[in-house]
C-alpha cells in the first residue's frame, strides 16, 4: 500500500495537493524568479525544502484530523525547512 504525503487538505473540489507536487511547483517558480538575478538553482533548492516539516507523521495526522473544519494543522512545519 502506498501512503501519500499531503501539502494541503482537500480544496473546494475535494482534491488534496500532494506534498511532492507542491514542493516541485514551488521549486519551479522559485527557479524562474531567481534566474532573474543569477540565483535560480539556489532558489529552487530552498523552495524544495521550505515545507519539509509537512512530511512529519504528526503533521500529516493532524492535517487529516482537521480537514473540513477550517482549523489549521497547528503543528510547526516551518522550522524543519528553515533549519
Amino acid at each position: 500500500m502506498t501512503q501519500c504525503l499531503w501539502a494541503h487538505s482537500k480544496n473546494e473540489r475535494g482534491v488534496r495537493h500532494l506534498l511532492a507536487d507542491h514542493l516541485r511547483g514551488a521549486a519551479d517558480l522559485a527557479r524562474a524568479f531567481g534566474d532573474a538575478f543569477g540565483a535560480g538553482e539556489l532558489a529552487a533548492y530552498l523552495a524544495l525544502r521550505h515545507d519539509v516539516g509537512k512530511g512529519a507523521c504528526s503533521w500529516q495526522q493532524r492535517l487529516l484530523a482537521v480537514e473540513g473544519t477550517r482549523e489549521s494543522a497547528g503543528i510547526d512545519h516551518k522550522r524543519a525547512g528553515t533549519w
Side-chain angles (χ1 to χ4, degrees), residues 24-74:
R24 278 195 221 85
D28 290 344
L29 281 173
R31 178 180 288 111
F33 288 121
D35 277 344
F37 54 90
E41 288 305 308
L42 175 61
Y45 173 83
L46 295 172
L48 274 174
R49 280 134 187 86
H50 84 282
D51 269 346
V52 72
K54 288 184 176 182
C57 292
S58 58
W59 195 89
Q60 290 289 314
Q61 291 166 353
R62 181 70 180 148
L63 176 70
L64 296 177
V66 300
E67 191 168 69
T69 67
R70 295 202 170 278
E71 283 184 53
S72 136

Side-chain angles (χ1 to χ4, degrees), residues 1-22:
M1 179 169 83
T2 302
Q3 187 164 2
C4 295
L5 295 176
W6 305 109
H8 304 283
S9 56
K10 291 179 182 176
N11 64 17
E12 62 280 347
R13 293 174 295 152
V15 177
R16 289 188 187 108
H17 195 186
L18 286 169
L19 181 57
D21 291 345
H22 170 70

